[in-house]
Amino acid sequence: MSTILVQVIVGGLLLGAVYALFSSGLTLIWGMMNIINFAHGDFVMLGMYVAFVVYTLLGAGPLVGVPLAALVLATLGVIVYFGLIRSVMKGPMLAQILGTFGLALLLRYAVFWGFGANFMTLPENIVGGTFDVFGIRIQASRLLAGVVALLVTWGLHLLLTRTSLGSKMLAVSEDSMAAQLMGIRPDTMQAIAWAIAAAATGIAGALIATFFYIAPTVGETLAIVAFVTVSLGGFGSIPGALVAGLLIGVIESLSAYLIGAVYKDIVVYSLFLLVLWFRPQGLMGKM
Amino acid sequence: MNFSRVAGLLCAASLAAVLAGPVYAQSKVVKIGAVFPLSGNAASAGIHAKAAIETAMDIINNAHPELGNFPLAKDAGLSGLGGAKVDVVFADNQGSPATGQNQALRLITEEKVVALTGAYQSGITLTASAIAEKYGIPFVNGESVAANLTERGFKWFFRTTPIASDFAKLYHDFLKDMKAAGAKTDSVAIIHENTEYGTSVASVIAAAFKEQGQPIALDIAYSANTTDVQSQVLQLKEKKPDVVIMVSYASDAILFAKTMKALDYKPPMIIADDSGFSDPSFIKAVGKISQGVFNRSSWSLGAPGSVTYIINELYKKKSGDDMDDTAARQMQAFFVLVDAINRAGSTEPAKIQAALKATDLKADQLMIGYKGVKFDAKGQNTLASGVVIQLQDGEHYVAVWPKANAAAAPVIPYKGW
């Protein structure tokens, strides 16, 4: 196998890990309360801007930017839950969809207003440089994002399967009335779910900002990938988002390299539809 | 008279003033529609376009004696219409051809604009101008370069910018000169985004190079709002072309610059086709890792005190950035349109159209480096031209070719970072 082909696959895996990273928050919210957060891409965008502000004001990199983005977004998650989600959940399905969609536009244009439309970037060397491993080039910033993606996925999975908080959250999502009778407050659990999901998304944004451009509309570009990743992996399945993210990353890279960049979406979406045809619940989702 | 009665009278009076205001103003205001991408992926370009048009409005509507004999600058308003002011209604095309078309329709039927300008992306200019054609409203475009825009037999469409075939010739002649100077230019790759703009410019360049006996070695198309361009850069890395011509918008141009650095790929020569590479945010974000990229331009800042220099100062106050080539071409188109309205002495579309057809501006009446503005039967400016510029220090483009217009000599190979 030629070095370039290996480079394509490595690049695809690192890209896929990032896809998985910014999809985990979306799948968590769905798993918890059957709501699709259409503002998800814009949460990622906000995480990117937090990293940008941290860099401009403090000159600090992701070591400060990532935790701060997690904190800011977690707060926003709680505010969004109590301010919007709790009310629209009582409404019809369409209100839920349009509610988060409206939130997406609100966030996007608030950032437009505050920061302008210009594309911005963090300095190239904010996370190390690029390693050369036997002729394969690995960007430190993407590697960091990839490693964190694995850690966040693993952490969320452990949280849901091994802790009492996770069990309580799952109990609420299974049957909120029964959970209430057991002394669990659904409101608190769901607010926590929003905080965790938004924090994970903020982390993703702050890490992606180290190698991607930052713009108010960047959420639009990323959100589509997140939706595909989540439905391919299985709505609500966090390990599923990881597998699907990696799969999409590698398939995109390989098909762009071997067939042509304009055809990569055709390949990815054909595969996507095929999988949904045979497994409508996604690769690792439950029926 | 008690208080409430006084208040009531005041209310009535102010209401009357409000009602009468527009009626009075209507005869004094020329309404022009401008369709630009004010949101979406190309919003950066659209917002700079808006600042350019607003700067032009300021120059037209207020007295600017410091601009000397620059058309429309000296007096306030349009002398041909008794000092009427120009008002521009901006509409957002959201980066979508369908939205652009709807907005053009809205501007014409509801806002009653007398002429249109815009719409940045060639694919949207295509649909928006079709509406103007249908309603018989002049559409003056300053920045969309897809060849077919002026090949549709339209009667109401005018374009001031040089187009793809002009650039193709510019690039080819430039490369021929560079080859004579010792550069290797035998294999040329084109990498382009896949909407109307990228596809049509790339195909015109490819055809022109083929005609000159130099077929394009590699042609890579990609989608402008892609999340990743590693594979495209690796394709280039593998094929090792001598020259890479890039036709990109800003977001993808930034991704390419970053990815090329990450994958340590430097072609000997990169020629960028304006747009993304001219966007001020491109230069700020990744200029330092794109040193030595060639580009095309019709705009140059000029010496302090010159008309272009003063216009740039005015523009900078509005936008916060120096004027780039795209914004300058948009501004020039707007001046051409308003100049025609002024000469027509009327806001009747047919009279504006006739005045546009009779446009004959000389180089010294322009704020951009064209040889003049004069439209052919298809509505294309026959005197449009450009030069090759280079981002030598990673911060400012300088003119490098042809020699007569050059401020510095071209530097090769591509330095990158």
Side-chain angles (χ1 to χ4, degrees):
Chain A
M1 203 152 49
S2 73
T3 327
I4 290 215
L5 203 57
V6 177
Q7 176 82 61
V8 171
I9 294 172
V10 169
L13 282 172
L14 288 174
L15 179 69
V18 172
Y19 286 174
L21 178 61
F22 67 67
S23 305
S24 57
L26 185 64
T27 206
L28 184 66
I29 292 298
W30 173 265
M32 287 296 111
M33 55 194 89
N34 285 4
I35 275 199
I36 298 182
N37 179 15
F38 279 97
H40 183 76
D42 299 272
F43 278 32
V44 180
M45 179 269 294
L46 288 180
M48 295 173 95
Y49 274 92
V50 172
F52 180 76
V53 170
V54 163
Y55 173 73
T56 350
L57 292 187
L58 308 172
L63 214 57
V64 182
V66 167
L68 203 65
L71 200 67
V72 170
L73 267 289
T75 315
L76 179 77
V78 173
I79 295 173
V80 166
Y81 174 71
F82 283 109
L84 174 73
I85 303 301
R86 208 164 50 145
S87 329
V88 295
M89 267 172 71
K90 295 173 197 140
M93 181 69 176
L94 201 59
Q96 300 175 10
I97 292 174
L98 296 181
T100 56
F101 193 67
L103 177 67
L105 296 179
L106 174 71
L107 295 175
R108 191 175 306 162
Y109 290 103
V111 172
F112 238 115
W113 177 72
F115 290 86
N118 280 356
F119 294 94
M120 296 184 266
T121 52
L122 295 177
E124 284 300 306
N125 53 1
I126 195 155
V127 185
T130 309
F131 310 116
D132 203 312
V133 186
F134 303 114
I136 307 296
R137 298 191 52 92
I138 299 175
Q139 233 179 314
S141 50
R142 284 179 187 254
L143 187 64
L144 176 69
V147 171
V148 173
L150 293 178
L151 288 178
V152 166
T153 308
W154 188 54
L156 286 178
H157 187 65
L158 284 188
L159 176 82
L160 287 184
T161 52
R162 299 284 161 84
T163 64
S164 79
L165 176 68
S167 313
K168 284 182 194 164
M169 284 164 65
L170 285 177
V172 170
S173 83
E174 295 264 317
D175 189 337
S176 116
M177 186 66 85
Q180 220 166 346
L181 293 174
M182 296 295 135
I184 302 169
R185 288 166 175 271
D187 247 6
T188 315
M189 288 304 129
Q190 291 183 330
I192 291 175
W194 269 86
I196 293 173
T201 313
I203 292 173
L207 286 169
I208 295 168
T210 59
F211 56 87
F212 210 71
Y213 60 83
I214 305 167
T217 51
V218 71
E220 279 177 80
T221 308
L222 298 178
I224 299 177
V225 183
F227 285 120
V228 175
T229 308
V230 166
S231 40
L232 185 63
F235 271 101
S237 166
I238 286 171
L242 180 67
V243 172
L246 292 175
L247 207 59
I248 293 174
V250 173
I251 291 169
E252 263 191 8
S253 292
L254 274 178
S255 53
Y257 177 72
L258 296 174
I259 314 175
V262 276
Y263 305 110
K264 72 177 180 190
D265 288 340
I266 300 180
V267 177
V268 168
Y269 287 101
S270 311
L271 178 97
F272 173 63
L273 290 180
L274 258 180
V275 169
L276 291 191
W277 177 279
F278 291 107
R279 268 190 80 81
Q281 72 272 41
L283 289 174
M284 300 175 73
K286 286 186 261 315
M287 275 303 247
Chain B
M1 213 191 271
N2 63 21
F3 174 75
S4 68
R5 214 172 268 173
V6 175
L9 270 177
L10 280 176
C11 275
S14 61
L15 191 65
V18 167
L19 285 176
V23 178
Y24 169 71
Q26 238 160 30
S27 59
K28 286 287 199 183
V29 169
V30 178
K31 242 184 178 186
I32 297 172
V35 183
F36 287 114
L38 301 175
S39 67
N41 245 341
S44 163
I47 283 169
H48 285 101
K50 184 164 180 263
I53 304 276
E54 283 170 348
T55 309
M57 268 167 75
D58 170 26
I59 293 170
I60 294 162
N61 287 342
N62 302 306
H64 280 273
E66 78 276 17
L67 288 170
N69 282 330
F70 189 73
L72 310 169
K74 201 177 265 171
D75 315 317
L78 300 180
S79 55
L81 279 104
K85 301 272 159 104
V86 170
D87 183 27
V88 175
V89 185
F90 290 96
D92 181 9
N93 71 30
Q94 296 172 11
S96 136
T99 310
Q101 191 164 33
N102 288 336
Q103 290 297 337
L105 184 64
R106 181 180 71 84
L107 289 173
I108 294 169
T109 55
E110 285 172 34
E111 297 283 351
K112 311 276 183 220
V113 300
V114 299
L116 281 167
T117 189
Y120 186 62
Q121 296 101 326
S122 291
I124 305 179
T125 304
L126 190 80
T127 57
S129 59
I131 293 293
E133 185 74 16
K134 189 174 156 207
Y135 282 84
I137 294 287
F139 192 116
V140 178
N141 167 275
E143 73 281 15
S144 303
V145 297
N148 60 352
L149 288 172
T150 43
E151 299 297 327
R152 297 174 292 173
F154 278 17
K155 301 269 178 295
W156 298 86
F157 185 73
F158 299 86
R159 173 160 66 177
T160 53
T161 182
I163 55 169
S165 52
D166 301 321
F167 310 141
K169 191 171 179 314
L170 183 76
Y171 300 152
H172 187 266
D173 293 351
F174 169 64
L175 288 179
K176 215 162 86 183
D177 247 26
M178 295 305 284
K179 191 177 181 180
K184 206 162 168 295
T185 63
D186 295 334
S187 76
V188 177
I190 299 185
I191 175 145
H192 64 90
E193 63 89 30
N194 72 342
T195 66
E196 186 72 31
Y197 162 60
T199 312
S200 71
V201 170
S203 75
V204 169
I205 293 176
F209 273 69
K210 197 170 177 194
E211 212 169 86
Q212 302 283 343
Q214 189 183 9
I216 296 296
L218 178 64
D219 184 330
I220 304 175
Y222 67 92
S223 151
N225 58 2
T226 185
T227 50
D228 185 59
V229 295
Q230 292 181 83
S231 299
Q232 292 87 304
V233 173
L234 289 172
Q235 276 177 310
L236 290 172
K237 200 173 178 177
E238 193 183 22
K239 292 272 163 55
K240 300 187 180 62
D242 300 320
V243 180
V244 177
I245 300 179
M246 304 192 66
V247 191
S248 309
Y249 285 125
S251 58
D252 36 327
I254 292 172
L255 274 190
F256 268 109
K258 283 175 138 327
T259 309
M260 280 176 162
K261 173 155 193 294
L263 296 173
D264 192 26
Y265 171 66
K266 285 183 205 176
M269 212 191 291
I270 301 181
I271 300 179
D273 185 76
D274 212 346
S275 303
F277 288 83
S278 300
D279 195 302
S281 49
F282 171 86
I283 300 171
K284 263 191 243 164
V286 288
K288 283 286 176 205
I289 57 167
S290 310
Q291 293 176 50
V293 64
F294 291 103
N295 196 337
R296 65 169 161 90
S297 178
S298 303
W299 160 255
S300 90
L301 183 57
S306 62
V307 167
T308 48
Y309 192 89
I310 298 170
I311 289 179
N312 184 59
E313 291 297 302
L314 292 170
Y315 171 79
K316 212 171 168 177
K317 260 185 229 150
K318 282 221 157 54
S319 72
D321 291 306
D322 275 318
M323 181 101 91
D324 64 283
D325 178 60
T326 309
R329 284 182 295 136
Q330 283 156 337
M331 185 188 263
Q332 184 61 66
F334 186 72
F335 276 123
V336 167
L337 170 60
V338 178
D339 168 70
I341 296 173
N342 190 39
R343 277 186 290 109
S346 159
T347 53
E348 236 174 85
K351 287 195 176 147
I352 300 173
Q353 179 199 33
L356 277 166
K357 281 184 177 161
T359 297
D360 186 7
L361 290 165
K362 305 293 179 222
D364 59 359
Q365 293 175 295
L366 308 177
M367 39 76 62
I368 206 160
Y370 302 159
K371 294 180 189 113
V373 176
K374 201 171 186 174
F375 297 109
D376 63 14
K378 293 171 175 172
Q380 172 61 37
N381 178 14
T382 54
L383 300 172
S385 61
V387 297
V388 175
I389 54 177
Q390 189 177 25
L391 192 64
Q392 293 188 336
D393 58 357
E395 285 175 32
H396 303 95
Y397 278 108
V398 286
V400 293
W401 194 89
K403 220 169 182 175
N405 308 65
V411 177
I412 48 172
Y414 175 70
K415 185 171 167 222
W417 45 93

